[in-house]
Amino acid sequence: SGALSPELRGQSKVACFTLSSPSTLAAIAAASKFQAVRGSGCHAKRRGWDDGDMEAFEVTGAAIVLAGGRGSRMGGVDKPTLEVEERSMRASALLAARSALGEGAPLVLVGEEGADVQSVGAVCVREEPPFSGPVAGLARGLAELELLGSTDEVVLVLGGDMPWLEPRVLGALVH
């Protein structure tokens, strides 16, 4: 069933964000051609609509996982590379996105390359300049999706330190 609010139907690009502040979303929307939408507003049922109010349509999706920090609050430890339940947090976020979006979906990790994400099939890139923050990371991730030829309608933007993301919840945001 449809999952986007009526005012967003027909948009060519929509970026769904989880746990993003309004100021970050405003900066991203101003700097890109993508429509910024808070993650909590993407799913129709959470806004009190029933399925009869929505048109059924298929959407395609891609994902950007932001994992490019210095780890300064953790004494230099790269938090997204820490293992939780025998997998790095960033690999868990990528695998949740892969499961929600399907095998062919483009995945971009903005952060250091590593064996933990190579097996997932994500493209690894760095923001310019390195360690310049999440908005620069998102801009680099969106640029990489364009270089990959992505024409996806939805882009999930996820933190690399979110090991318990549920693919079914991400799927609800997308679909």
Side-chain angles (χ1 to χ4, degrees):
S1 69
L4 297 177
S5 60
E7 65 270 14
L8 294 179
R9 283 192 205 126
Q11 296 288 329
S12 61
K13 294 278 186 178
V14 177
C16 283
F17 299 85
T18 60
L19 305 177
S20 292
S21 70
S23 60
T24 300
L25 292 176
I28 292 163
S32 74
K33 68 178 184 179
F34 290 77
Q35 171 90 27
V37 180
R38 283 189 70 88
S40 61
C42 290
H43 192 256
K45 288 190 177 193
R46 292 191 182 185
R47 300 191 83 189
W49 299 325
D50 62 35
D51 289 337
D53 293 335
M54 303 297 290
E55 297 173 19
F57 60 94
E58 286 294 316
V59 296
T60 59
I64 298 170
V65 174
L66 301 175
R70 292 182 199 265
S72 58
R73 290 187 299 252
M74 294 188 65
V77 173
D78 187 9
K79 182 169 65 169
T81 63
L82 293 176
E83 289 192 3
V84 175
E85 297 179 3
E86 300 181 25
R87 181 177 295 133
S88 73
M89 288 193 271
R90 65 191 195 160
S92 294
L94 286 163
L95 286 168
R98 166 74 71 224
S99 180
L101 299 170
E103 282 302 313
L107 302 177
V108 175
L109 176 90
V110 181
E112 294 294 325
E113 290 188 44
D116 60 328
V117 296
Q118 288 177 341
S119 63
V120 180
V123 174
C124 294
V125 297
R126 288 298 313 195
E127 70 275 21
E128 284 297 325
F131 308 114
S132 53
V135 174
L138 178 57
R140 179 64 180 97
L142 291 170
E144 188 63 26
L145 286 175
E146 287 190 30
L147 288 172
L148 293 172
S150 173
T151 58
D152 296 291
E153 297 166 347
V154 176
V155 177
L156 292 174
V157 179
L158 308 170
D161 60 352
M162 301 171 73
W164 293 295
L165 288 169
E166 290 285 336
R168 64 182 173 75
V169 173
L170 297 178
L173 287 171
V174 173
H175 302 289

